[in-house]
């Protein structure tokens, strides 16, 4: 009897199976070599990653947050021609992640928040354009859950106005806009390989760029401001020849280096990314069809559709509950958790509602971000897996998700 119950029990997680046998094998090999710090596995992954997304350069770091931090600090580096200075304005959408926003503040920028479109969850282009003024020096776009805004139009205006464009692509690795990978439109694109992202190495991140000098800045900031691994001009070398060239510090810096262990896993997962994208697309269609064809379907939910011109690489299945269920959404999410269906908010909702924003007094100006508010109140997401979804799982999701109308 117990055995039978266990068999019918379903736990629908955000991610079905984080690591394959091969992932574990490559990681173990690095560990066994006893050389686990950043080295050839990382450089190899960087090359493969840059090639995959079609960027000239890629620099791996220890998280997506570090990738954002590095992109922002590279954008004000003294070695950069077009750079921002403290007090300049950075535009960011209210529907963002904590570490999309904080590097801007940490680097002395003044964030200006704009709204997102409820239909795409991504930045509202008109509002973004009307917020640009002579003080705007940075736009940080977050591509939400595999979807995107009108990145080509945004890139064009950034180019015209010499605004630095940073694409936080931590949730959208593999999505293509007009066949070009998200993260490769701006000056910098950042990615995350945290658990349950499109590929995962546990922790890990990447920054891509197309400018050699930006790349050199990224490399030195990543590792203490060190010159190690950089191409130095002979004039420069000559000037500092009195210093031990192995320990030459030419820039400010952090230590955001990844491990070769995580790089080997990331690299191995990258080989399966196209397969993951296709399977996730199919599973997404199956779930939506199952719900919409159910006898219990009563327009309980709206699903996020890909933006125009976008080939999505989905990060989960974002859902908006019907307006009449707004008041019970949080109870419903607890019900799903009790029934072992893992779920998450859409990023963290309208970030302006968070206490950290009050702490830094970023909301002195009264913003009215109705799109981000609505997504916070009505939105959540569940996982979509990289193995074909079973009929047992589909039935389970149908039964539990559609019982939102029974929650009191
Ligand atoms: C939009 C966005 N940016 C940045 C991050 C940070 O990535 P990490 O968790 O790898 O630091 C996340 C995390 O999920 C995210 O969703």
């Amino acid at each position: 009897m117990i055995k039978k119950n266990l068999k019918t029990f379903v736990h629908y997680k955000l991610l079905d199976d984080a690591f394959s046998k091969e992932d574990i094998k490559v990681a173990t090999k690095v560990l066994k070599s006893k050389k686990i710090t950043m080295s050839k596995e990382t450089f190899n992954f960087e090359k493969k990653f840059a090639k995959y997304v079609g960027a000239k350069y890629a620099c791996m770091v220890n998280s997506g947050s570090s990738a954002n931090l590095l992109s922002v600090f590279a954008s004000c580096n003294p070695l950069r021609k077009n750079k921002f200075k403290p007090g300049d304005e950075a535009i960011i959408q209210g529907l963002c992640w904590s570490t999309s926003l904080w590097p801007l503040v940490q680097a002395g920028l003044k964030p200006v928040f704009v709204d997102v479109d409820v239909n795409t969850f991504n930045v509202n282009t008109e509002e973004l354009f009307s917020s640009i003024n002579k003080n705007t020096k940075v736009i940080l776009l977050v591509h939400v859950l595999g979807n995107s805004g009108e990145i080509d139009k945004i890139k064009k205006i950034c180019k015209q106005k010499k605004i630095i464009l940073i694409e936080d692509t931590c949730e959208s690795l593999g999505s293509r806009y007009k066949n070009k990978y998200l993260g490769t439109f701006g000056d910098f694109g950042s990615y995350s390989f945290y658990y349950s992202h499109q590929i995962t190495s546990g922790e890990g991140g990447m920054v891509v760029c197309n400018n050699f000098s930006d790349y050199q800045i990224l490399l030195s900031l990543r590792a203490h401001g060190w010159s190690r691994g950089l191409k130095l001009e002979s004039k420069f070398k000559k000037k500092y020849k009195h210093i031990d060239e192995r320990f030459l510090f030419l820039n400010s810096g952090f230590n955001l280096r990844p491990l070769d262990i995580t790089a080997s896993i990331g690299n191995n997962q990258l080989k399966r990314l196209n397969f993951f994208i296709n399977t996730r697309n199919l599973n997404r269609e199956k779930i939506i069809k199952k719900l919409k064809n159910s006898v219990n379907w009563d327009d309980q939910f709206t699903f996020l559709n890909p933006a125009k011109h976008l080939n999505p690489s989905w990060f989960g299945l974002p859902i908006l509950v019907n307006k009449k269920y707004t008041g019970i959404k949080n109870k419903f999410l607890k019900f799903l958790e009790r029934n072992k269906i893992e779920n998450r908010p859409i990023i963290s909702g309208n970030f302006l509602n968070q206490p950290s924003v009050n702490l830094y007094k970023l909301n002195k100006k009264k913003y009215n971000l109705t799109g981000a508010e609505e997504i916070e109140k009505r939105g959540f997401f569940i996982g979509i897996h990289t193995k074909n979804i079973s009929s047992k799982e589909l039935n389970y999701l149908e039964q539990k998700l559609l019982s939102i109308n029974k929650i009191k």
Side-chain angles (χ1 to χ4, degrees):
M1 185 62 187
I2 291 173
K3 244 189 180 169
K4 198 172 168 209
N5 278 343
L6 279 177
K7 256 191 162 177
T8 49
F9 173 82
V10 177
H11 187 171
Y12 191 80
K13 295 185 188 174
L14 280 187
L15 182 66
D16 47 341
D17 194 7
F19 303 116
S20 70
K21 275 192 191 139
E22 185 67 23
D23 293 336
I24 295 166
K25 199 168 145 194
V26 292
T28 316
K29 193 172 161 202
V30 179
L31 184 57
K32 280 185 176 159
S33 77
K34 299 187 184 169
K35 290 186 189 134
I36 65 167
T37 55
M38 185 179 79
S39 186
K40 60 177 195 290
E41 292 290 337
T42 305
F43 309 142
N44 186 26
F45 181 31
E46 289 173 340
K47 275 202 194 103
K48 297 272 165 56
F49 191 92
K51 190 164 177 221
Y52 181 93
V53 298
K56 278 199 181 140
Y57 309 104
C59 169
M60 190 183 177
V61 283
N62 53 9
S63 71
S65 303
S66 300
N68 282 342
L69 188 74
L70 206 56
S71 303
V72 171
F73 275 86
S75 303
C76 60
N77 198 265
L79 290 178
R80 201 169 200 264
K81 269 199 202 112
N82 183 22
K83 51 185 170 285
F84 70 80
K85 52 181 192 328
D88 286 340
E89 289 184 5
I91 302 180
I92 181 168
Q93 64 218 58
L95 188 76
C96 67
W97 182 248
S98 147
T99 49
S100 319
L101 167 68
W102 291 113
L104 303 172
V105 179
Q106 286 153 347
L109 285 162
K110 189 172 161 265
V112 173
F113 294 91
V114 290
D115 207 1
V116 287
D117 182 332
V118 188
N119 297 312
T120 65
F121 289 13
N122 276 273
V123 78
N124 179 318
T125 318
E126 270 173 35
E127 209 184 293
L128 175 71
F129 286 0
S130 64
S131 300
I132 294 175
N133 63 43
K134 63 179 184 353
N135 300 320
T136 310
K137 241 3 232 171
V138 174
I139 291 178
L140 191 138
L141 275 189
V142 180
H143 301 299
V144 180
L145 294 169
N147 223 2
S148 94
E150 296 175 288
I151 183 72
D152 53 349
K153 284 192 196 164
I154 297 168
K155 181 193 165 114
K156 201 164 156 202
I157 199 143
C158 285
K159 211 167 165 201
Q160 273 168 14
K161 297 190 177 287
K162 292 201 164 62
I163 294 170
I164 300 162
L165 176 61
I166 300 174
E167 293 177 75
D168 178 341
T169 322
C170 287
E171 300 188 348
S172 300
L173 167 61
S175 290
R176 284 169 293 143
Y177 186 91
K178 294 188 180 168
N179 231 13
K180 187 172 161 60
Y181 282 93
L182 294 183
T184 62
F185 288 81
D187 295 62
F188 300 99
S190 60
Y191 301 86
S192 164
F193 313 130
Y194 186 63
Y195 174 82
S196 94
H197 286 238
Q198 279 85 354
I199 61 171
T200 181
S201 55
E203 294 276 8
M206 193 75 83
V207 186
V208 299
C209 67
N210 283 317
N211 179 295
F212 182 72
S213 152
D214 280 342
Y215 175 53
Q216 298 288 290
I217 296 171
L218 291 174
L219 293 183
S220 64
L221 296 192
R222 166 173 73 177
H224 315 271
W226 222 331
S227 63
R228 193 180 271 185
L230 299 191
K231 288 220 163 44
L232 301 180
E233 286 177 14
S234 48
K235 215 168 67 188
F236 185 86
K237 278 195 196 162
K238 216 163 153 193
K239 185 169 174 194
Y240 292 101
K241 69 175 188 306
H242 53 288
I243 299 175
D244 181 340
E245 64 176 347
R246 295 169 307 161
F247 287 85
L248 190 59
F249 294 90
L250 47 79
N251 214 320
S252 62
F254 306 99
N255 181 359
L256 309 174
R257 289 178 304 203
L259 288 175
D260 253 17
I261 300 180
T262 44
S264 70
I265 302 173
N267 199 15
N268 205 50
Q269 293 225 343
L270 188 66
K271 295 180 195 158
R272 310 203 296 285
L273 177 55
N274 289 344
F275 168 77
F276 290 164
I277 294 172
N278 291 337
T279 318
R280 285 196 166 114
N281 270 333
L282 289 173
N283 285 341
R284 172 183 181 273
E285 278 166 28
K286 281 186 191 163
I287 298 170
I288 294 176
K289 205 167 145 197
K290 181 79 182 169
L291 297 178
K292 287 195 166 176
N293 288 343
S294 167
V295 287
N296 293 321
W297 177 251
D298 187 23
D299 285 325
Q300 285 95 328
F301 306 120
T302 305
F303 303 100
L304 177 68
N305 286 317
K308 207 171 159 196
H309 306 301
L310 190 88
N311 279 355
S313 164
W314 292 114
F315 177 162
L317 178 69
I319 295 173
L320 289 179
V321 301
N322 186 310
K323 279 190 180 146
K324 67 180 174 196
Y325 299 124
T326 311
I328 53 104
K329 189 201 78 176
N330 288 339
K331 257 190 178 173
F332 173 60
L333 297 188
K334 281 190 186 138
F335 162 83
L336 293 183
E337 285 290 333
R338 277 200 306 280
N339 284 283
K340 309 275 182 211
I341 298 176
E342 278 188 326
N343 60 77
R344 294 284 182 274
I346 307 294
I347 320 198
S348 29
N350 179 6
F351 205 79
L352 283 168
N353 293 334
Q354 297 288 344
S356 52
V357 167
N358 277 339
L359 188 66
Y360 281 82
K361 300 185 175 48
L362 299 185
N363 50 0
K364 269 198 223 145
K365 179 181 160 192
K366 284 285 158 256
Y367 289 99
N368 189 18
L369 307 185
T370 51
E373 272 308 304
E374 187 164 349
I375 292 167
E376 173 168 330
K377 294 211 169 85
R378 292 174 53 207
F380 71 101
F381 79 90
I382 59 168
I384 14 180
H385 298 166
T386 55
K387 289 191 187 115
N388 285 336
I389 188 162
S390 66
S391 49
K392 195 165 93 177
E393 285 172 313
L394 281 170
N395 290 338
Y396 191 72
L397 287 179
E398 177 196 1
Q399 188 202 341
K400 298 299 174 195
L401 287 171
L402 294 186
S403 43
I404 187 167
N405 50 12
K406 296 199 188 92
I407 307 281
K408 292 274 175 288

